[in-house]
Amino acid sequence: MPAPITTLRASLAAALTEASLWSTYSFPPPTITANSVIVAPNDPYISPSNNTNVGISPMANFRIIFNVPMLDNKGNLNGIETLAVAVFNKLAASTIVMNIAAMSAPSLLEVQSGTLLTASFDIQILTSWS
């Protein structure tokens, strides 16, 4: 049975937790930090399979965003690649059935905590209305 929409973000965040290496958020935090993984809604967030029948499972779309500190070019790329592989492996090891899209190109992100290098995966999960 598909995971319910109401608990899906928390389930994803729990599957991605690695407290000794990064902070994991089940929502976009007010301050984005280095060495963090964020589960955020993607657009479209929820795609119903049929507008008239609630018995048909919808598709939930998320973006898994990961951030590392801005260092030199080599350090940045090594850090984002290492984190990307770890995040992908965590997703693959979870019991949640999902489709994972290609990783975005790394880009700079200017936030309160400083300059970060960021990248993401888009994922789709068949879910339920409960």
Side-chain angles (χ1 to χ4, degrees):
M1 177 165 194
I5 289 173
T6 54
T7 60
L8 201 47
R9 277 186 304 104
S11 298
L12 273 170
L16 291 167
T17 299
E18 189 65 59
S20 64
L21 299 176
W22 62 75
S23 299
T24 306
Y25 301 96
S26 62
F27 52 87
T31 302
I32 299 171
T33 59
N35 300 319
S36 64
V37 175
I38 302 165
V39 178
N42 204 353
D43 190 31
Y45 184 21
I46 299 169
S47 301
S49 301
N50 181 325
N51 292 332
T52 61
N53 187 345
V54 296
I56 296 176
S57 296
M59 190 68 73
N61 299 292
F62 294 95
R63 179 162 287 158
I64 308 301
I65 305 163
F66 36 99
N67 309 288
V68 296
M70 183 66 179
L71 304 170
D72 58 49
N73 286 342
K74 182 179 177 182
N76 286 64
L77 289 176
N78 286 342
I80 203 79
E81 290 163 353
T82 299
L83 187 52
V85 169
V87 166
F88 183 82
N89 286 336
K90 286 281 199 176
L91 290 172
S94 78
T95 59
I96 302 169
V97 178
M98 68 190 84
N99 293 324
I100 303 173
M103 179 180 143
S104 67
S107 61
L108 295 179
L109 179 64
E110 295 286 341
V111 293
Q112 261 182 318
S113 59
T115 305
L116 305 175
L117 189 66
T118 187
S120 64
F121 291 117
D122 291 343
I123 63 171
Q124 292 184 319
I125 303 171
L126 191 60
T127 186
S128 68
W129 291 111
S130 42

